[in-house]
């Protein structure tokens, strides 16, 4: 994604504006799911009136996608003051909890391409939240660590993410939330090789 | 995402290789969720052994993300012969079912930025699946239509997507699938303005 195409993004709603500032070329993942509702006033509408969704309405995959976009929008709006997107938050948490983590491991854990992890870590480094340290015993590699600012930001952002996630699940009972997590974990089982 | 960073993506598994060919600069959405398991042999592992996921393990949002990456990987592998990613498929379905659709409407429906929709439609046009037609009564706008090749590809891809989605849900009973869809639809309710 070029800076030009990023800047060309249309947006009028509050959520869209804050999301647009997050959509930097250095972080392709930030542009990921919805990144702000596509200029939709009031955010993403999973069922736009008078639109025929055809087979999409019957797919579990598209039901997940619809939920994910709404969650992404709410996340970005909730974390706007820190410019923390879902991939950035996941990276900060994983780096904070797993000492001596290498970039390739981070990519593997987050399920993103190594090139995407490079851009993600570059963005976090620009934000002064993450630093690269020489890895002991391997001259070509380095370990990822949070900076002091990264630790402070993560502590604050974590509370905001927990509040956001509580809102995401607010229409579900505790039992329904547990059921949802259990059903999600059983989706897309590995195929035999 | 630059062509260079895209080419730098590491990948050794079958799924990763086919996904990598899809990750073109013209289509940032193709790089989206997992785009191939990040060089993970055998694909994405939602729970990498010996990794501490911290708060991520308790978040509904991250449970959705884990499911989505697995689904994305299986989708891309299942549709590899057509080079059809989830956003490309969604766009083809929406365009096919809704005559005289404009690009801004497509972006709104899919929950992506207008700039992302431009790149998505550009890629589909390069693949000779979608064409832009002048919109009646509006010189600045155009309508999106499927080409004959687009119609044929969509018909074949649709069967592959239905089979893929059946695999995604194969560990769930019909009742569980209905429960899952109903719970997903209740996530992330709109916030009061």
């Amino acid at each position: 994604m070029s800076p030009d195409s990023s800047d060309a993004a249309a947006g009028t709603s509050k959520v869209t504006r804050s999301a647009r500032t997050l959509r930097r070329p250095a972080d392709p993942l930030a542009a990921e799911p919805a990144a702000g509702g596509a200029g939709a006033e009031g955010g993403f509408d999973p069922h736009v009136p008078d639109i025929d969704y055809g087979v999409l309405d019957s797919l579990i995959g598209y039901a997940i996608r619809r939920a994910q976009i709404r969650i992404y929008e709410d996340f970005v709006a909730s974390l706007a003051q820190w410019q923390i997107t879902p991939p950035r938050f996941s990276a900060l948490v994983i780096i904070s909890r797993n000492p001596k983590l290498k970039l390739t491991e981070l990519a593997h854990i987050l399920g993103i391409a190594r090139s995407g992890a490079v851009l993600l870590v570059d963005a976090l480094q620009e934000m002064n939240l993450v630093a690269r340290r020489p890895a002991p015993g391997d001259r070509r590699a380095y370990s990822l660590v949070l900076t002091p600012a990264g630790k402070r930001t993560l502590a604050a952002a974590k509370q905001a993410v927990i509040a956001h996630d509580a809102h995401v699940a607010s229409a579900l009972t505790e039992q329904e939330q547990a059921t949802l997590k259990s059903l999600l974990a059983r989706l897309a089982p590995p195929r035999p090789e």
Side-chain angles (χ1 to χ4, degrees), chain A residues 9 45 60 75 89 130 135 167 173 176 190:
Chain A
D45 182 348
I60 289 276
F75 187 110
F89 179 73
V130 164
H167 170 72
T173 65
E176 286 173 328

Side-chain angles (χ1 to χ4, degrees), chain A residues 94-189:
Chain A
I94 296 292
I95 292 168
S96 79
R97 310 283 300 189
N98 300 275
K100 299 184 185 167
L101 196 74
K102 292 178 184 167
L103 189 100
T104 319
E105 295 168 323
L106 180 66
H108 177 59
I109 292 161
L110 297 182
I112 59 178
R114 191 181 183 287
S115 57
V118 168
L119 298 174
L120 179 58
V121 169
D122 282 352
L124 292 170
Q125 199 163 347
E126 272 178 50
M127 295 165 80
N128 191 33
L129 303 178
V130 164
R132 292 166 154 103
R133 297 271 177 264
D138 185 348
R139 285 193 186 175
R140 294 169 309 167
Y142 50 83
S143 309
L144 301 170
V145 294
L146 293 196
T147 64
K151 286 178 191 173
R152 285 194 304 272
T153 299
L154 176 57
K158 188 173 148 182
Q159 297 312 311
V161 169
I162 289 170
H164 144 78
D165 205 68
H167 170 72
V168 163
S170 58
L172 274 51
T173 65
E174 291 277 335
Q175 178 57 52
E176 286 173 328
Q177 294 178 32
T179 300
L180 174 59
K181 283 184 184 170
S182 151
L183 293 173
L184 287 171
R186 289 161 61 202
L187 289 180

